[in-house]
Amino acid sequence: MLVPLFTSEIIAERVAVLGKEITETYQSESVPLTVVSILTGSIFFSVDLVRQIRLHVKMDAILAQSYVHHASSGEVLIKNKLKESPAGANILLLDDILDTGLTLKTIQSSLLEQGAASVKTCVLLDKELPPEKKMTHADWFAFRIPPKYVVGYGLDSDELYRNLPGIYELQDDDSGKPEDFVF
Ligand code: 5GP
Ligand code: MG
């Protein structure tokens, strides 16, 4: 069953605020900001957020996977290289969800090792976890949520539900089809 958490309107309002804050943070920088999206989950968040950043922005993406069937696999598979070397770049790393932080921390460290001048992080959702289970924190997040499994606005359950405009909690009983809610 899908339980609504955030509507597309609420998401858009929050994304606009983040875009403004990010613009202010980087506006005195002389090099364009490189936005690196961790795919596939952050795809909608990324395209909405970059259009709220009033600066020159380059876009790149990393294909990574750590979750297998609703649970963290404990390792992060990075499946591609960036188009341009991260050396010297100011990077804003975007992800859908910060859970344990393994994904964000692994990719952030890798970009810094490759010589990025700075790597700040921004996530759509920050999941509440006991502090000892969080490996890192994001510089920005849109919403903080309880540790439930969520879908929509780019987030999937076995590749489904990504195209729901809002964000929903997916409850145990998976019998509900998205058609019942939004289509
Ligand atoms: P972490 O590495 O921080 O433990 O996990 C983050 C990654 O796990 C995210 O990039 C996301 O792909 C996936 N993930 C964590 N929680 C959820 C969730 O509730 N729903 C979905 N669809 N993916 C999640
Ligand atoms: Mg992800």
Side-chain angles (χ1 to χ4, degrees), residues 4-161:
L5 288 181
F6 305 105
T7 62
S8 56
E9 290 79 12
I10 296 286
I11 298 168
E13 276 175 28
R14 221 11 230 145
V15 167
V17 171
L18 288 176
K20 200 160 172 275
E21 289 180 16
I22 290 164
T23 303
E24 282 162 10
T25 300
Y26 288 99
Q27 64 193 354
S28 57
E29 296 284 340
S30 50
V31 287
L33 176 64
T34 302
V35 172
V36 174
S37 308
I38 304 174
L39 298 182
T40 307
S42 70
I43 191 162
F44 296 92
F45 181 46
S46 299
V47 297
D48 286 346
L49 182 63
V50 291
R51 287 178 295 171
Q52 298 294 333
I53 299 176
R54 311 286 182 220
L55 300 168
H56 283 306
V57 158
K58 294 182 178 182
M59 291 184 75
D60 213 330
I62 286 180
L63 197 52
Q65 195 180 10
S66 69
Y67 256 52
V68 179
H69 297 299
H70 295 200
S72 181
S73 68
E75 64 173 334
V76 181
L77 297 174
I78 299 176
K79 302 187 175 180
N80 71 307
K81 282 191 160 185
L82 295 182
K83 289 182 287 187
E84 284 183 11
S85 162
N90 279 328
I91 294 179
L92 178 65
L93 188 58
L94 302 184
D95 202 3
D96 49 5
I97 302 195
L98 175 64
D99 187 19
T100 64
L102 177 72
T103 307
L104 211 57
K105 195 176 176 180
T106 304
I107 297 174
Q108 184 177 33
S109 304
S110 156
L111 293 169
L112 287 168
E113 273 165 27
Q114 293 172 68
S118 73
V119 183
K120 288 191 187 290
T121 56
C122 176
V123 296
L124 175 65
L125 303 173
D126 185 17
K127 272 196 193 181
E128 281 163 11
L129 275 188
E132 67 275 12
K133 290 196 175 165
K134 282 271 183 210
M135 295 171 62
T136 191
H137 296 278
D139 293 293
W140 292 275
F141 62 87
F143 305 102
R144 182 161 278 155
I145 58 164
K148 302 283 173 55
Y149 198 84
V150 296
V151 296
Y153 194 64
L155 298 161
D156 74 312
S157 172
D158 292 331
E159 294 302 326
L160 292 180
Y161 304 111

Side-chain angles (χ1 to χ4, degrees), residues 2 160-161 163-164 168 175-183:
L2 295 173
L160 292 180
Y161 304 111
N163 61 323
L164 298 181
Y168 297 79
S175 58
K177 294 280 182 289
E179 288 84 349
D180 302 340
F181 303 89
V182 279
F183 299 125

